[in-house]
Amino acid sequence: MKTRWDIFCTVIDNYGDIGIAWRLARQLTEEFNQYVRLWVDDLESFQRLEPRIDAYNPSQMVCGVEVCQWTEPLPDIAPAQVVIEALACRLPDAYLEKMAAMPIKPVWINLEYLSAEDWVEKCHGLSSPHPRLPLIQTFFIPGFGPGTGGLLGSPRHHEKLDVWRRQTGERARFLSGMGIESLPDQALTVSLFAYDNPAIAGLLDALAAFTRPACLIVPEGKASSRVAAWLGLGELRPRQPANRGMLAVHPIPFLYQDQYDHLLWACDLNCVRGEDSFVQAQWASRPLIWQPYVQEDGAHWKKLQAFLSLYRQGLEPETFDLLASAWQLWNAGERGKPEIWHDYLGKLPELNLHAGYWQSRIKSWPNLANELFKFVKARI
Ligand code: TRH
């Protein structure tokens, strides 16, 4: 049965909120045949991830999803059967009043940020009544493994990954589309998506002195100025590569989300950040370096440790220690001792095997869209 969903999302500073809401809306539409209306306050930022978005159209159909501009006040509309308040945004009061006035109240879900911490299992699925209105909100918390809200990402989409990698020429064609031609056979390809981070220089030093040629692909963003400074340039210009030592740096424009997924598939190592690129890099079954979104109270360190303690399972202790030291440096923003990055890069073959094993684990764990669909189906 086709159920109507309203997903609300605000774009705060980065791309994670809209990236997550859009990926979820598409998966519910394409794989679960649901009718999704996505309310977004900033269509211009959305357009950077999705070329089919018209930033000036307040109501449009894109990939089967009804995309609506979230204005204040909201247009006078009837709430859907399922309402998702995504990633710390707050529903307008008038909309809540309308939900409360419905004879059958909508299923109201508060979709939280992902964490590997233990509290997720305890808090996922808890309900909280509205203080004034006859409405109950359920907390949906994405996480790793049973008892959590699961991970965002389409297993169906990532099944194509094996075919994509096997098909000769796909990767080369993709890279050539990014302006990266004739890579040396043994080149190590690395994608860089990070917040501004002084530790970038340490990794670049190691790549420049590596035993194999390396190619660093940098979509335009907060990390670009660090890379430019390391190269001794004033700025990075998309599609104007530069070299230092064994490293070729390829700046590219900020990609559409579908293309970015392919970039993760195409690289041997992905530096990722926040939440969505972090999760999609795991689906891509390649080694990763993660920079969680920095929180003032230091909560990101707990998130990092919790993930590492899961990810270590199946890794040799020595390899895990290297991985943990490298991620520690990355997140402390320290250039660090060159040996750490050098040794870390030397472990990439082992980390690559581990990334494949990890991908098979996350495939067997709950999937966020599926968990939401099951939850709603049991209530409608
Ligand atoms: O942009 P982020 O830093 O988002 C963060 C986190 O979600 C964090 O939890 C949240 O609190 C904060 O925003 C406000 O990183 P994230 O989560 O990886 O999201 C980036 C999105 O952008 C993701 O969907 C991938 C996409 N992307 C592109 O579409 N093209 C690109 O070129 C790149 C680099 C990313």
Side-chain angles (χ1 to χ4, degrees), residues 48-335:
R48 291 203 72 196
L49 271 83
E50 175 49 67
R52 287 159 283 202
I53 291 291
D54 173 355
Y56 299 100
N57 186 348
S59 172
Q60 53 197 305
M61 291 302 293
V62 182
C63 305
V65 177
E66 186 180 347
V67 175
C68 301
Q69 171 100 49
W70 179 353
T71 49
E72 198 51 65
L74 207 62
D76 187 20
I77 41 133
Q81 294 157 285
V82 185
V83 178
I84 299 187
E85 204 171 8
L87 310 162
C89 73
R90 286 292 156 253
L91 294 180
D93 286 342
Y95 184 89
L96 275 168
E97 301 276 355
K98 279 194 199 146
M99 282 167 65
M102 287 168 78
I104 302 172
K105 311 286 178 252
V107 178
W108 179 20
I109 294 165
N110 184 333
L111 177 64
E112 285 284 348
Y113 289 104
L114 166 78
S115 178
E117 290 162 278
D118 292 342
W119 61 263
V120 170
E121 273 177 55
K122 295 187 195 103
C123 300
H124 168 63
L126 292 182
S127 301
S128 153
H130 190 277
R132 193 169 47 82
L133 299 168
L135 292 169
I136 295 174
Q137 181 185 48
T138 301
F139 291 93
F140 231 86
I141 314 180
F144 298 81
T148 74
L151 287 172
L152 178 60
S154 159
R156 204 195 275 178
H157 173 57
H158 286 94
E159 265 155 29
K160 296 182 205 149
L161 166 62
D162 295 334
V163 181
W164 192 85
R165 283 203 179 124
R166 271 199 308 271
Q167 272 168 359
T168 38
E170 283 291 339
R171 179 173 177 271
R173 249 191 305 282
F174 171 77
L175 291 173
S176 149
M178 300 288 122
I180 303 164
E181 309 273 2
S182 56
L183 274 180
D185 279 348
Q186 289 308 309
L188 175 78
T189 43
V190 182
S191 76
L192 177 67
F193 180 42
Y195 304 112
D196 179 32
N197 183 359
I200 288 170
L203 174 63
L204 302 195
D205 288 343
L207 288 169
F210 196 45
T211 46
R212 284 161 58 184
C215 163
L216 181 82
I217 307 173
V218 193
E220 206 173 356
K222 292 184 175 169
S224 302
S225 55
R226 292 280 165 191
V227 180
W230 181 85
L231 285 164
L233 299 173
E235 60 176 352
L236 288 189
R237 295 232 172 89
R239 295 182 183 269
Q240 291 192 13
N243 293 288
R244 184 170 149 189
M246 296 293 272
L247 180 63
V249 175
H250 288 267
I252 57 171
F254 190 83
L255 301 176
Y256 297 127
Q257 195 182 51
D258 287 343
Q259 293 176 313
Y260 180 66
D261 288 356
H262 281 104
L263 179 66
L264 295 173
W265 291 7
C267 288
D268 303 308
L269 168 66
N270 292 302
C271 304
V272 287
R273 72 182 206 193
E275 182 167 323
D276 190 46
S277 56
F278 167 55
V279 174
Q280 304 317 312
Q282 294 168 56
W283 283 110
S285 75
R286 287 285 183 259
L288 66 152
I289 299 173
W290 179 39
Q291 187 181 22
Y293 184 71
V294 176
Q295 285 163 284
E296 273 170 18
D297 56 0
H300 57 289
W301 283 108
K302 286 194 193 140
K303 279 194 167 190
L304 185 80
Q305 291 312 329
F307 178 75
L308 281 174
S309 60
L310 280 182
Y311 197 71
R312 73 178 303 161
Q313 292 161 27
L315 270 177
E316 291 295 331
E318 189 205 343
T319 310
F320 174 73
D321 289 346
L322 262 173
L323 170 98
S325 310
W327 285 30
Q328 176 84 23
L329 274 184
W330 193 248
N331 284 285
E334 287 166 19
R335 198 165 184 148

